Amino acid sequence: TTVVVNGTASHAIPSTLYGQMFEDINGGDGGLYAELLQNRAFQQVTPGDATALYAWAAVNGGNITVIADSDPVSSALPNSLQLTIPSGASGSVGFGNEGYYGINVNSSWTYNASFYYRFPEASDFSGDATVALQSASGEVYASAQIPISGSQTTWTQVYAQLTPSTSPSSTANNFTVTFNSSAAGNTINFAMFSLFPPTFKNRANGMRIDVAEARYIALLTLQILLMRPSFFRLPGGNNLEGQSAATRWIWNNTVGALVDRPGRVGDWGYINTDGLGLLEYLYWCEDMEMEPFMAVWAGYSLDGTSLPEDELAPYIQAAIDQINFVIGDPSDSSAAALRASLGREEPFSLTYVEVGNEDFFASESYIYRWRDFAGNLTAAFPQLKFIATAYPFNPILDPTPQQYDNHVYQTPDWFAENSFYYDDFERNGTYYFQGEYAVTSTNASDLYGTTADGRLMYPTIQGSIGEAAYMTGFERNADIVFAASYAPLLMNVADGAYQWTPNLVEFDAANAYKSTSFYVQQLFSLNRGTEYLPSTLPDPSGTVFWSVTSDSSTLAIKLVNYANTTEDVTFQLPFAVSSSATVTVLTGDPTASNTPTNPNLVTPTTTAVTIAQAFNYTAPAYSLSVLNIELS
Ligand SMILES: [NH3+][C@H]1C[C@H](O)[C@@H](O)[C@@H]1CO
């Protein structure tokens, strides 16, 4: 294969080309969101139902139940945990929380614990609650005393800090609240527990982060940061839509004090705390230097219901308020004034707003839903760009969408065979966001089936190299492809903790794991360049694909070999180059995956390579090679 590279750029590489899609699937609560206690506020559960206490358990005979409190801690949180310490109790009696499939106890972290309590009946009790981090077998790693008074019959919030004495390797740990025998016979109501480790940039109610010391596994945020994503799509994906209009994602239920957030039954089979809410997302984007690609609910829910046109007005207003919460002026928008009241006077940056999600499932109603949402939102915010989520030009929409969000989940071969997917798109002023894409299965007739039927549990080299082939098409067509993101982003690998595979970054309570597809995303994102240099076109039905981009000082050649044999490529560059270059290669057995038990089975390797204006390079089988060439 000979690749002649043209010295004149054909188009810019948009700064937004590579980013991340996020929704609470497999890993918002208990993952990116740093809260360590699962079911911390008994949101959306049925009092008295055995499942209402999920993730909680009695300690030494504490008698616990979830009640509909006669005097709830807030209107958003009607349920409380009621503890009765049996008379005659001895030892430490109370309850504990198992976390999200474990709690990482780390001796270099200070944990912030808090809860609300009240005595439903005044009592003369005065003593301490002991909060602790302890192993499943009762080894106490950290504990603190919180004074509790039986005269406290109204809700009060109490706090404690926990600094573990050691860092056990096991995450099978619990957060416990116990009382000694002096509390025997008392009944106490509790609400809105919270236990936070240090967070990214120390944001209150923030994101999970590893600690600076190298000795700790980089956790989710650093994994995500290592890709330097330029945008973050939120809050979904399916999780925006609700199984019904009533259970859709409602922006204003996700902002304000945690005690005022009701949570919701998410679209992935579990309750969302909504502690990771719109303001947390916006701070996260700002801290990570990402643009939010924010979605607004557009009248369609996953039970297949589209609201009739004459019922859309309140939801269009809600979308206007949601956008004003992000960019509005506090002096003329109550939603923006709410933002200011929460400590953020100045607006956030926002350019793209997506209207719904995968509305190709409801194309007919999208004709009027898009017309009314995009029509009104464009009038209210002419500076914003609105993304349509039906198939491009099918149906015809008015106003004409300037952006569409395409999604594709397919086999490795499909991705390798479709790298020219965007080459034939009309250049008619329409721009495309490949908002979701991933190899999900090796079985073209069962893309979303079981692993026994071809579904991938984790990305594989074959799948990731197929994705890389497809991604060379994003760069060749970056004059109309402005953004692309693999989906989904995160997966808690604990049994029962995930709803979708494969995912880009896997994690458990103490570690994060980079998949082979993460490395492909990272290599493209970190070497995206600022302009595209045309070159000999690959054979669309071949197995070798490439993309050449440059920025002011370097040339980046991404070379993908999807074949199971090496490929010799001759490059003819348009200008003299210094002889020193590096090549970073990701390659391995096509079925190889990085897994929690073998997290670094396949990692990129970078080596020096001697080149000249014309040079040969042999691409390994199933490989992505990124050559970085200094322009002399
Ligand atoms: N079915 C996918 C499409 C939807 O938008 C996402 O929520 C799902 C997982 O990425």
Side-chain angles (χ1 to χ4, degrees), residues 23-160:
E23 64 175 317
D24 205 325
I25 175 176
N26 308 323
D29 281 339
L32 184 58
Y33 180 53
E35 170 64 60
L36 293 171
L37 302 183
Q38 186 173 183
N39 190 17
R40 69 178 179 185
F42 318 101
Q43 295 162 305
Q44 308 295 330
V45 295
T46 306
D49 190 303
T51 58
L53 274 168
Y54 73 93
W56 295 94
V59 170
N60 287 343
N63 184 343
I64 55 172
T65 184
V66 174
I67 60 167
D69 205 305
S70 56
D71 172 18
V73 71
S74 71
S75 56
L77 300 177
N79 300 330
S80 308
L81 183 149
Q82 183 165 79
L83 166 69
T84 297
I85 300 148
S87 50
S90 65
S92 297
V93 175
F95 49 85
N97 188 285
E98 67 186 37
Y100 283 95
Y101 313 92
I103 297 178
N104 183 17
V105 174
N106 180 325
S107 62
S108 79
W109 287 353
T110 295
Y111 295 73
N112 289 308
S114 65
F115 58 79
Y116 289 74
Y117 84 93
R118 78 181 186 96
F119 280 70
E121 304 292 332
S123 107
D124 56 5
F125 174 73
S126 173
D128 287 340
T130 300
V131 292
L133 286 169
Q134 53 183 298
S135 73
S137 57
E139 185 175 353
V140 176
Y141 299 119
S143 71
Q145 312 305 321
I146 298 180
I148 297 289
S149 164
S151 61
Q152 184 69 47
T153 55
T154 58
W155 289 104
T156 183
Q157 190 174 22
V158 290
Y159 306 84

Side-chain angles (χ1 to χ4, degrees), residues 111-232:
Y111 295 73
N112 289 308
S114 65
F115 58 79
Y116 289 74
Y117 84 93
R118 78 181 186 96
F119 280 70
E121 304 292 332
S123 107
D124 56 5
F125 174 73
S126 173
D128 287 340
T130 300
V131 292
L133 286 169
Q134 53 183 298
S135 73
S137 57
E139 185 175 353
V140 176
Y141 299 119
S143 71
Q145 312 305 321
I146 298 180
I148 297 289
S149 164
S151 61
Q152 184 69 47
T153 55
T154 58
W155 289 104
T156 183
Q157 190 174 22
V158 290
Y159 306 84
Q161 292 202 321
L162 293 168
T163 307
S165 55
T166 180
S167 304
S169 58
S170 166
T171 57
N173 304 304
N174 295 298
F175 168 77
T176 56
V177 181
T178 56
F179 296 81
N180 64 30
S181 55
S182 68
N186 277 281
T187 294
I188 311 170
N189 292 3
F190 296 85
M192 186 61 241
F193 290 86
S194 181
L195 179 70
F196 261 82
T199 59
F200 187 61
K201 296 206 172 204
N202 271 321
R203 282 251 182 239
N205 195 41
M207 306 304 173
R208 193 172 117 172
I209 174 70
D210 67 318
V211 286
E213 291 92 282
R215 65 189 165 110
Y216 287 101
I217 308 285
L219 291 184
L220 299 186
T221 42
L222 265 200
Q223 301 307 340
I224 294 170
L225 197 61
L226 290 174
M227 199 189 118
R228 282 221 297 279
S230 304
F231 68 83
F232 197 75

